[in-house]
Amino acid sequence: MESSRHLPLVRFAFLIAFSIAVLVAMFVFMPMAWVQTVVAVTLGIANGLTFVSVRRTRTTPPGRPQDPAPAADGGPPTRAYLVPVAVPPPPELFVGREEQLDAMVLQAHAGRADRATVIVVKGAAGIGKTSIAVQFAHSVAASFPDGLIFGRGGPATDWESVLASFDDALLGPKDKRPVEPETIRRTYRTLTREKRVLVILDDVDEHADLPALLPSGPGCLAVVTTREPELDVDADLTIELPVLSSDDSVSLLGSMVGLDRVNSAEGEQAARTIVASAQSNPLAVTLAGATLASRPHWDLSRAVERLREIRSQRATGALDVTFTLLGDDERTALLLLGLLDNPVFAPWMLAALLGPEHDDVKAWNLADRLVHAGLVERSTNDATGVSTFRVLDRVHDYARACVDGGELDAQLAATGMDRLAQEGRDRTAGDPKAELMDDVYRLKEQGELNRALDRVLNALALARENRDADAENLAVATLAELNTELGIAADGAKLADDCHDPHVLVRVLRCQAITHRRDHRTDLAVDALDEALAQLTAAQLPADLDRAERIRTLGSRVIALAMGPQPLDGLPDIDRIKALIGDDAELAARHRASIGWALGTVYDYQDWHSLAIPALEEGIAAANDAQQRLWQAWLLHATARVWLEDGDPAACRKHAGEALQLFADMQHRYGAAHCRLLIGTAAMRQERLGTAAATLEETLESLGSCGDRHLEAMTLNRLAEVRIAQRQVPDARKLLQRADMLFAALGDEGDRMLTRSQLQALDELPEPELDTTPRPVR
């Protein structure tokens, strides 16, 4: 097969896992989203995110640097590349730094004629250096039309990589990326010589080669934040941030916890005690506010009482308030994390530190609670959903100081580190591929989709820890198959030329085939599966694994052939599956349900309904015996479809309803959407138009998180039929137009022709039959 026919695994993973990564982030962060935003910007942790819009909080007066010239037609300035805007969003709460911000804005407008303007912002950790730098960048963004870029530093930062990321942001999409260090630096100097770019270099230490990081052109500006008392740089403006005033600290705290909690005399006094204990450090005040905001039933005096308890035990620190307000488990976890040299950790590491009574799930939940307290940040490097956690630098330093001060039981610390070391050795010796073989698919068949996903993600994390590229690719491909089952499929047109592992390609090609099949491009689906079978021969897998992969691939090929012009062409593949199973009774029991589904589908598309129903019912019984909930659900769905085609909407609704319940129990939105489409169509056939409309609208809503455009178009068509029957013709026309666009995008001329004929029929309706009452359409 040509190289253009292979899905690139990295892009592929981003496509198939993006929805799941988003859903996970919503569940983790949404309850405290406004607090998280404040904390993220205050601490400067929202690094590396690219935002497509810029929020400007001030109007930039005319002056140097000049605004960009308009395009020739008088429109907005044109760009040969996508202008990078890679700074975090501005802080929602910006308190007590107005004077310093004004000075920075004035310096930006003054500029220099010989080189880039350099502003240095100095101060202790957590003092708000990143916050003011980001606020400033958004304030003057209009004066830097060629981009805003952000580089985050720290003691272990590879500034060459940061510089390479700057080049990548400033180059055009077709420009060659430099590789050698000197070429990277030269490219950066060239790119910034004639442009107007604002660069934030955050948390620069004495080891950074600062001259190489500064932009070269006089139209540029660099903001350098640092904890160092002195840096070897010729700064045009140096600002040393002090702690906040008491009033500003109370204002910041009140904005986070609610002004009603600080406005009373007692509340204000408690607030002043809290911010004084936090030493008016913006980070400490923000973290205390995040913790108190998550405890709205507490009055502030209760926090003060707990603070006094800890003061009696040791000297106070700026983070004492937050640490005091944590629960016992969270405090212990934070102290144990202080044992680590690196603040970045995975849930399994925390579980090992805590002891055998804490598994990965409990450790994950505990880490999430520390995220909500603002002490830990969670990041996902890509859309596969593999997450890591990172204790904020200032918090990690605080935890280490507490450990050094004897606040963690020595025996607990020693045993925790021993368990962590042993777990690390076990993981290094482990085989990530072992998690990705047949057991994952067995869990899938049983409807244990979350467990299957967890197993694959664990294997992916382990492969990355061990730097096992082959296992990582296999994990990404397996994750793709699971997510394709859930309706999140990769575009079949994007094919990989960088994957040479035949086993990986088999799974990738099966995903591609399902995508083609759902788009009703069955010839392409068959081609992909034929190549998958060829790749299996090249893979030379162990006999049992080869047999399992062939059975899955042939089963998918049966369905693709059944949906094509000659459905009976799939029957020989069913015979091949049976031959592979042979006399293996256990394997026969496992695959009896899938064979029933394949055979029933062939008979259904051949319009042999009297044969399809028994085959599917036999499959349902086999799935029930084998406790294969996923197969049971799809078989019930297929049976419902046949009953609908056979003219029995009541039987259709019965079987589709049973399938819907199973899919709902498995949290399988895509399968549920299939069932609702059948139920809505059956209700329409029974002239239960209200039920039909509501069910089909719910189907469209469910499909919003899936990638099956053909199913969406069919649902729009069905809902349009209901609207016509309800005499809601304008709504029907809009729905059919949407369906027409989807069918056109899919290249499905047959269904598009039917849709267009429906639109033409609407246009030919007599005028009195048109109902112009507007109705919302989802």
Side-chain angles (χ1 to χ4, degrees):
M1 192 174 187
E2 297 175 359
S3 63
S4 64
R5 298 263 328 259
H6 298 290
L7 281 159
L9 295 179
V10 174
R11 294 181 183 174
F12 182 72
F14 271 76
L15 278 165
I16 52 84
F18 176 78
S19 296
I20 285 185
V22 170
L23 288 173
V24 171
M26 286 173 62
F27 280 115
V28 171
F29 292 110
M30 190 169 287
M32 290 279 293
W34 65 278
V35 174
Q36 295 289 310
T37 301
V38 175
V39 174
V41 177
T42 303
L43 306 181
I45 64 177
N47 172 43
L49 301 178
T50 300
F51 301 90
V52 295
S53 63
V54 176
R55 171 179 164 187
R56 301 187 176 102
T57 55
R58 294 185 177 205
T59 301
T60 305
R64 220 187 94 41
Q66 297 295 324
D67 291 337
D73 60 358
T78 58
R79 299 278 173 246
Y81 65 99
L82 181 65
V83 176
V85 183
V87 298
E92 293 295 326
L93 300 176
F94 187 73
V95 177
R97 303 299 190 203
E98 290 78 7
E99 182 180 342
Q100 293 89 346
L101 181 62
D102 288 340
M104 294 171 71
V105 172
L106 287 174
Q107 184 63 55
H109 296 320
R112 291 187 62 113
D114 56 336
R115 61 165 174 79
T117 300
V118 179
I119 298 175
V120 174
V121 181
K122 298 161 56 177
I127 206 68
K129 302 182 295 297
T130 304
S131 182
I132 193 172
V134 170
Q135 180 73 34
F136 165 73
H138 288 282
S139 299
V140 298
S143 293
F144 298 94
D146 294 313
L148 311 176
I149 52 181
F150 184 101
R152 180 179 179 181
T157 299
D158 179 1
W159 284 106
E160 292 292 346
S161 296
V162 173
L163 203 56
S165 72
F166 290 174
D167 287 350
D168 188 61
L170 294 169
L171 286 167
K174 297 183 180 179
D175 292 333
K176 184 178 180 180
R177 267 53 182 170
V179 177
E180 298 299 326
E182 184 53 42
T183 310
I184 290 171
R185 295 184 179 207
R186 186 168 58 250
T187 302
Y188 179 59
R189 290 194 297 270
T190 302
L191 288 170
T192 56
R193 185 172 297 129
E194 303 296 332
K195 296 184 184 295
R196 295 191 288 277
V197 178
L198 187 150
V199 181
I200 297 178
L201 302 170
D202 191 42
D203 200 9
V204 174
D205 62 16
E206 60 182 0
H207 302 296
D209 185 2
L210 193 51
L213 296 168
L214 297 175
S216 60
C220 298
L221 185 147
V223 180
V224 181
T225 74
T226 182
R227 308 182 200 184
E228 303 289 345
E230 297 295 336
L231 280 178
D232 184 17
V233 61
D234 183 12
D236 298 292
L237 174 67
T238 299
I239 291 175
E240 187 158 1
L241 292 181
V243 298
L244 294 174
S245 69
S246 178
D247 287 345
D248 286 336
S249 297
V250 170
S251 176
L252 175 59
L253 183 67
S255 297
M256 298 188 68
V257 305
L259 295 177
D260 56 316
R261 297 170 74 179
V262 301
N263 279 343
S264 66
E266 182 181 0
E268 183 179 355
Q269 183 58 45
R272 291 192 181 279
T273 301
I274 290 169
V275 299
S277 299
Q279 301 173 5
S280 290
N281 180 288
L283 165 60
V285 173
T286 301
L287 292 178
T291 305
L292 289 166
S294 66
R295 293 167 170 80
H297 56 287
W298 280 25
D299 58 43
L300 300 188
S301 60
R302 183 175 178 183
V304 171
E305 290 173 6
R306 295 197 63 175
L307 180 61
R308 286 175 180 147
E309 294 173 5
I310 200 169
R311 276 181 171 174
S312 65
Q313 302 170 22
R314 60 176 168 83
T316 60
L319 297 181
D320 282 347
V321 179
T322 300
F323 187 73
T324 303
L325 297 178
L326 294 174
D328 292 339
D329 288 344
E330 289 87 350
R331 283 200 296 271
T332 300
L334 194 60
L335 291 174
L336 287 168
L337 292 170
L339 296 170
L340 303 178
D341 293 330
N342 190 330
V344 177
F345 68 96
W348 70 265
M349 300 170 68
L350 181 56
L353 288 168
L354 288 165
E357 67 277 8
H358 287 79
D359 58 16
D360 286 4
V361 174
K362 290 181 180 179
W364 190 293
N365 292 335
L366 192 52
D368 275 343
R369 296 206 293 272
L370 292 174
V371 170
H372 287 306
L375 303 170
V376 169
E377 61 178 343
R378 179 182 174 187
S379 63
T380 304
N381 292 330
D382 57 39
T384 58
V386 178
S387 297
T388 57
F389 295 86
R390 179 179 178 274
V391 185
L392 305 183
D393 290 340
R394 180 70 184 276
V395 177
H396 192 245
D397 292 343
Y398 176 85
R400 291 177 72 93
C402 290
V403 171
D404 293 342
E407 294 196 34
L408 181 65
D409 179 78
Q411 183 63 31
L412 179 62
T415 55
M417 291 300 288
D418 287 344
R419 283 191 300 267
L420 179 60
Q422 183 60 50
E423 181 68 17
R425 288 191 292 268
D426 292 344
R427 290 175 70 84
T428 301
D431 180 10
K433 288 186 177 181
E435 297 282 341
L436 302 170
M437 299 309 171
D438 203 39
D439 282 351
V440 168
Y441 294 93
R442 194 181 298 274
L443 287 171
K444 172 186 166 186
E445 293 160 5
Q446 293 168 352
E448 300 287 347
L449 299 176
N450 287 332
R451 285 182 60 197
L453 285 167
D454 287 344
R455 182 166 293 190
V456 175
L457 290 175
N458 181 68
L460 180 55
L462 183 58
R464 289 174 174 174
E465 290 169 21
N466 295 344
R467 300 187 178 182
D468 186 338
D470 290 341
E472 181 177 351
N473 286 341
L474 186 62
V476 170
T478 309
L479 182 63
E481 283 207 275
L482 290 174
N483 284 322
T484 300
E485 166 62 36
L486 295 169
I488 309 164
D491 185 350
K494 295 185 177 179
L495 308 170
D497 54 15
D498 60 344
C499 176
H500 306 288
D501 185 335
H503 191 193
V504 174
L505 281 174
V506 169
R507 297 186 180 185
V508 169
L509 288 163
R510 281 204 301 258
C511 294
Q512 180 186 336
I514 292 174
T515 301
H516 288 318
R517 194 181 78 205
R518 288 173 179 171
D519 290 345
H520 284 222
R521 296 171 176 173
T522 55
D523 54 336
L524 296 179
V526 173
D527 287 346
L529 293 165
D530 286 344
E531 183 177 355
L533 291 169
Q535 292 292 340
L536 266 175
T537 301
Q540 296 184 340
L541 299 174
D544 287 347
L545 182 58
D546 178 86
R547 180 168 59 173
E549 295 286 18
R550 285 186 186 278
I551 289 173
R552 281 189 283 270
T553 306
L554 287 169
S556 187
R557 192 172 186 273
V558 171
I559 304 304
L561 289 169
M563 294 174 63
Q566 300 293 330
L568 296 181
D569 286 351
L571 291 178
D573 282 344
I574 295 178
D575 292 335
R576 293 168 69 186
I577 292 172
K578 291 178 179 179
L580 285 168
I581 293 171
D583 297 329
D584 190 326
E586 181 180 349
L587 201 60
R590 178 178 174 185
H591 290 289
R592 191 170 292 123
S594 62
I595 291 173
W597 185 61
L599 191 59
T601 302
V602 170
Y603 290 153
D604 175 28
Y605 279 91
Q606 187 66 27
D607 290 330
W608 292 353
H609 295 165
S610 61
L611 295 178
I613 293 292
L616 293 169
E617 288 180 342
E618 183 177 343
I620 293 170
N624 187 56
D625 291 341
Q627 297 183 328
Q628 295 172 329
R629 288 192 301 164
L630 186 61
W631 275 124
Q632 189 177 3
W634 282 120
L635 283 156
L636 283 165
H637 167 268
T639 306
R641 184 183 67 233
V642 176
W643 280 121
L644 183 66
E645 294 165 356
D646 209 39
D648 193 339
C652 169
R653 292 186 66 187
K654 174 182 177 297
H655 286 81
E658 293 176 12
L660 177 60
Q661 185 60 56
L662 284 169
F663 281 124
D665 291 344
M666 292 182 284
Q667 299 179 325
H668 196 315
R669 287 172 59 86
Y670 180 62
H674 271 273
C675 294
R676 288 193 180 98
L677 174 57
L678 288 178
I679 293 169
T681 305
M684 179 183 69
R685 301 273 177 88
Q686 294 175 313
E687 298 185 357
R688 301 171 63 174
L689 300 182
T691 299
T695 305
L696 293 170
E697 286 177 344
E698 193 172 358
T699 305
L700 286 175
E701 186 176 344
S702 297
L703 289 172
S705 61
C706 303
D708 194 330
R709 295 176 296 172
H710 193 277
L711 187 65
E712 183 179 358
M714 294 300 296
T715 305
L716 288 166
N717 260 343
R718 295 290 182 274
L719 185 55
E721 291 180 42
V722 175
R723 293 294 186 225
I724 292 170
Q726 292 176 320
R727 300 175 61 82
Q728 299 293 335
V729 176
D731 279 3
R733 181 176 287 108
K734 291 177 183 177
L735 292 163
L736 289 171
Q737 287 169 345
R738 287 170 59 189
D740 178 61
M741 291 175 61
L742 286 172
F743 285 134
L746 292 169
D748 188 338
E749 290 302 322
D751 283 319
R752 191 183 185 199
M753 187 179 300
L754 291 174
T755 302
R756 293 204 156 204
S757 67
Q758 290 173 290
L759 280 168
Q760 185 177 357
L762 288 184
D763 293 336
E764 294 172 357
L765 284 176
E767 196 67 27
E769 296 208 19
L770 294 177
D771 184 347
T772 59
T773 306
R775 290 173 57 87
V777 179
R778 294 185 184 180

